[in-house]
Amino acid sequence: MINKLIDNYIIKTIAPFFQKEDCRAYIVGGFLRDCLTNKHSCDVDIVVENSCAKVIAQKLADCINGYFVELDDLNKIYRVVFDDKKNYVDVAQCVGKNIEQDLKRRDFTMNALAYDLKENVAIDVTNGVDDINNNVIREISEFNITDDPIRILRAFRFQSEFGFEFSDELKRILKKHNLSILKTAKERINTELLKL
């Protein structure tokens, strides 16, 4: 996985910035999962630990001659668009005290991966790599699913996309909480259904 990351155009462009910045920054989630499953992905999400994500995103945009876009200032999510206007990265504030806590709040183990841009190491606190290698979609916790019920639909989208099987515990959780999806905004449901 690390070799694929090092060779990626987006990573090559942003890594030097983060290696000289005094902050801990990590690529997280789907981009890493897609690297491991040999899928092409341009959806790079970066989580910043112990720093202001907005300031880091603005500085990154300046460094690469890109553009800064405020996506959600309340939840501290920002976008840096490359000067080619085709590639971009999203920069968000770490949820929790550190990257490990952030990863444990995600939906499924296969999405709870991180890559430390400064130290050039992968972080896998939920054994997500093993689950990807074994073609399993596994919950991190029941709370993580019920806290954001759209994750119920996301489970089926990932199953459709990757052909993975649900863990027995995830099957139980999805069956138990299936009606909680009705509490989710219709726009979010529509987006997931379109992706599915």
Side-chain angles (χ1 to χ4, degrees):
M1 175 175 71
I2 289 176
N3 288 339
K4 290 180 185 178
L5 290 172
I6 292 169
D7 291 337
N8 180 277
Y9 164 73
I10 295 174
I11 309 308
K12 278 182 179 177
T13 305
I14 65 173
F17 167 81
F18 285 105
Q19 285 164 2
K20 63 184 182 184
E21 273 298 306
D22 188 25
C23 74
R24 300 305 297 266
Y26 309 86
I27 297 172
V28 295
F31 183 82
L32 302 176
R33 176 202 65 223
D34 290 346
C35 277
L36 288 169
T37 55
N38 296 313
K39 287 184 176 285
H40 176 73
S41 177
C42 293
D43 184 18
V44 179
D45 294 318
I46 296 172
V47 164
V48 178
E49 188 181 273
N50 299 328
S51 294
C52 177
K54 185 173 188 175
V55 171
I56 294 295
Q58 289 169 328
K59 288 171 75 174
L60 175 60
D62 289 342
C63 179
I64 66 169
N65 295 317
Y67 307 90
F68 169 82
V69 180
E70 188 175 286
L71 295 180
D72 183 347
D73 198 42
L74 180 64
N75 291 305
K76 298 179 174 60
I77 303 170
Y78 311 94
R79 179 164 289 172
V80 176
V81 181
F82 286 44
D83 59 356
D84 63 9
K85 298 181 183 168
K86 294 177 185 175
N87 294 296
Y88 65 88
V89 297
D90 289 341
V91 180
Q93 195 72 38
C94 186
V95 177
K97 293 180 181 177
N98 53 43
I99 189 62
E100 288 79 11
Q101 286 187 4
D102 184 282
L103 294 174
K104 287 178 181 176
R105 295 184 64 158
R106 294 176 180 269
D107 51 8
F108 308 109
T109 60
M110 67 181 191
N111 295 326
L113 304 171
Y115 170 74
D116 188 325
L117 283 160
K118 190 178 285 288
E119 301 296 328
N120 192 33
V121 294
I123 301 167
D124 179 10
V125 295
T126 64
N127 296 316
V129 172
D130 286 345
D131 285 336
I132 290 170
N133 290 335
N134 292 315
N135 301 329
V136 174
I137 302 173
R138 187 180 311 281
E139 73 296 336
I140 293 173
S141 74
E142 186 166 350
F143 173 79
N144 289 13
I145 305 297
T146 58
D147 187 48
D148 187 2
I150 199 67
R151 291 172 169 174
I152 293 169
L153 278 181
R154 290 188 84 207
F156 289 99
R157 173 164 65 88
F158 289 135
Q159 185 184 48
S160 168
E161 184 177 346
F162 294 97
F164 291 1
E165 294 296 320
F166 295 147
S167 69
D168 289 340
E169 176 64 6
L170 182 56
K171 287 179 190 173
R172 183 194 68 77
I173 292 168
L174 295 175
K175 187 173 182 180
K176 178 180 176 184
H177 297 288
N178 61 4
L179 293 179
S180 64
I181 193 68
L182 299 174
K183 301 174 188 172
T184 304
K186 289 187 174 86
E187 296 80 10
R188 295 185 74 206
I189 292 173
N190 287 341
T191 298
E192 282 301 323
L193 290 175
L194 286 170
K195 289 179 180 178
L196 178 63

